[in-house]
Amino acid sequence: MKIGRHSLINKRAPSPPRPLSRLGFTLLELLVAITIMVVALSIAFQAFAATIRGWRRGLEVMEGIQHGDFALKQVVSALNSTIYFRNDRRTYAFTFEKDSSGGLPADTIRFVTSSGAMMPYDSPFAAGPHRLKLYIDDEDGYPALFATAMPAVPNADDEEEELEGDPILVSREVQGLEILVWDEENEDWTEEWEKENSVPERISISIYVASEDEDEEPIVFSRVLNIPVAESLRDNLASPTIQSSDNR
């Protein structure tokens, strides 16, 4: 019996069904992709935020350096022009008090100077001797460096409230002031100044420019200063009022 070609073809086994072509992603693949994207964006954002913080801190430091350097130069200028003559009534006495504010030193210093540093141009003390007081006080809820001036009169500390002028804001950025005196005998810096009617020969001045970020350390500007007028202590110069009375 002959079997035709057509019959053999019809009796072959049927072909298995072809798989459908993939038209999208599975849920797992989407979750993995989203996770990777979130991690990448998080890393990029942290790097960007760190760059911005560094940029802001750099600007803050530069501004702090400018304010701190200017304030320190003003203080040094006033101290370099310190006036002192021997006077039993403590007219020219140098005094300072130790204190702190907000975790920073907040000392107060008083002395007689002929410098117009920190004085407004229209101040009566801008061109003549006066007793200058430098101190840290509150300004809009934050400590700041202030100055006040008053005439150089005997026993000025007893009449300070009546004679001193209006407070002068020296710098909002300066939030700390520290004064140390050189102890010649012990060859070390000390916080004590027991001489009520004299001027130290050498002092250390430090001003603190604090950051708005509490985690950042303040910028400290320090200067060691030899007060020129202190040499007169060896010569025992008397005040002009004493000299004039002795000549009569």
Side-chain angles (χ1 to χ4, degrees):
M1 182 177 65
K2 294 182 179 179
I3 300 176
R5 183 179 179 185
H6 182 72
S7 300
L8 290 175
I9 294 176
N10 292 336
K11 291 183 178 180
R12 289 179 180 175
S15 301
R18 295 181 180 180
L20 297 176
S21 59
R22 299 177 60 185
L23 300 178
F25 299 98
T26 64
L27 179 60
L28 178 60
E29 290 173 333
L30 288 174
L31 291 176
V32 171
I34 292 174
T35 302
I36 294 175
M37 183 178 65
V38 169
V39 172
L41 289 176
S42 177
I43 294 174
F45 176 78
Q46 291 179 4
F48 178 75
T51 302
I52 295 298
R53 285 196 302 269
W55 177 70
R56 289 179 177 174
R57 178 57 178 166
L59 290 179
E60 186 181 73
V61 170
M62 292 178 60
E63 184 177 357
I65 290 175
Q66 292 177 353
H67 286 281
D69 186 63
F70 173 78
L72 185 59
K73 286 181 178 179
Q74 293 292 302
V75 174
V76 169
S77 176
L79 284 167
N80 275 330
S81 301
T82 298
I83 299 175
Y84 180 81
F85 295 99
R86 178 172 53 84
N87 185 312
D88 294 337
R89 295 178 294 176
R90 298 186 294 123
T91 303
Y92 305 95
F94 174 99
T95 64
F96 79 93
E97 303 168 2
K98 304 297 294 184
D99 202 352
S100 62
S101 175
L104 296 177
D107 298 348
T108 298
I109 181 174
R110 301 177 181 86
F111 56 97
V112 177
T113 179
S114 60
S115 171
M118 293 170 284
M119 294 293 103
Y121 71 93
D122 57 347
S123 171
F125 304 111
H130 56 278
R131 175 168 288 276
L132 183 65
K133 173 184 174 182
L134 298 174
Y135 60 101
I136 300 295
D137 202 357
D138 183 79
E139 169 66 12
D140 294 333
Y142 296 94
L145 178 63
F146 283 87
T148 56
M150 59 179 289
V153 297
N155 301 316
D157 293 345
D158 299 335
E159 304 179 24
E160 181 176 296
E161 294 184 0
E162 299 179 1
L163 296 177
E164 69 178 359
D166 296 331
I168 302 168
L169 178 61
V170 179
S171 175
R172 289 186 176 89
E173 282 70 22
V174 176
Q175 300 183 4
L177 174 66
E178 183 177 31
I179 305 296
L180 298 175
V181 178
W182 179 253
D183 187 343
E184 190 69 30
E185 182 178 353
N186 297 319
E187 296 185 350
D188 196 7
W189 295 104
T190 178
E191 296 182 349
E192 299 179 357
W193 173 249
E194 298 178 353
K195 299 180 181 179
E196 297 182 353
N197 190 14
S198 186
V199 175
E201 295 187 22
R202 179 185 298 178
I203 64 174
S204 171
I205 313 164
S206 297
I207 62 175
Y208 294 74
V209 178
S211 170
E212 295 180 359
D213 188 350
E214 297 181 355
D215 296 332
E216 296 287 348
E217 293 292 329
I219 306 172
V220 184
F221 298 82
S222 299
R223 182 78 60 86
V224 174
L225 177 66
N226 293 321
I227 300 180
V229 75
E231 296 181 1
S232 66
L233 298 176
R234 303 188 185 97
D235 300 331
N236 199 25
L237 296 180
S239 69
T241 55
I242 295 178
Q243 290 178 347
S244 61
S245 62
D246 291 343
N247 293 332
R248 292 179 182 177

